[in-house]
Amino acid sequence: MTVTSAPVARSSGLAVAAGIVAAAVVAVAVNALIAVIAHGFGASDEFQPLRFGAYAFLTVAGILIAAAGWAAIRRWTKRPSAVLRWLVPAVLVVSFVPDLALLGSDAQPGTSGFAVVALIVMHVNVAAVAVPVFRRVLPLPDRG
């Protein structure tokens, strides 16, 4: 008896691109709301990472990098669901390190605990928006 792996479900390139663009738009919009709330609770206007240009660029870059990583894992690993099940949370937690490092440094004017918490919430938002979109437009195969 020969066992074959289920083929990877394929989405059209247009569907993948549209999903990634939609994820980026939604994540940037929610991050804008998070920034407004943070500023409303006293986060300094001097704090560069909470300025639209900074977080919008990094949000889009993060989604593009995550989509490329998701696609690579989907294609080249034997059990992509299992890999992503531990990799996504691990990468998310590691992404908090630069934010938390700001607390112990004076490299960013206007740094405060609340501003750093806002950045961490932004990271969680990006993951919460991107993962369901990736699951839809870059579905994972049922292997092994």
Side-chain angles (χ1 to χ4, degrees), residues 39-144:
H39 288 301
F41 278 96
S44 173
D45 290 334
E46 291 183 330
F47 189 62
Q48 290 284 341
L50 287 181
R51 291 190 180 170
F52 182 81
Y55 66 75
F57 172 78
L58 292 171
T59 297
V60 172
I63 286 180
L64 292 173
I65 292 166
W70 184 284
I73 289 166
R74 174 182 182 251
R75 180 174 181 175
W76 289 312
T77 63
K78 191 179 237 184
R79 299 183 62 211
S81 290
V83 171
L84 288 166
R85 194 172 299 116
W86 66 263
L87 186 61
V88 169
V91 169
L92 180 60
V93 169
V94 169
S95 79
F96 301 159
V97 171
D99 299 340
L100 293 170
L102 289 173
L103 289 174
S105 111
D106 55 355
Q108 272 303 325
T111 299
S112 67
F114 195 78
V116 169
V117 168
L119 292 180
I120 290 170
V121 172
M122 287 179 167
H123 289 217
V124 173
N125 167 57
V126 171
V129 169
V131 168
V133 170
F134 297 164
R135 285 194 178 282
R136 181 162 185 110
V137 301
L138 294 167
L140 300 173
D142 295 325
R143 291 189 219 156

Side-chain angles (χ1 to χ4, degrees), residues 18-32 52 56 59-60 63 125 129:
I20 291 169
V21 167
V25 169
V26 170
V28 168
V30 174
N31 280 350
F52 182 81
T59 297
V60 172
I63 286 180
N125 167 57
V129 169

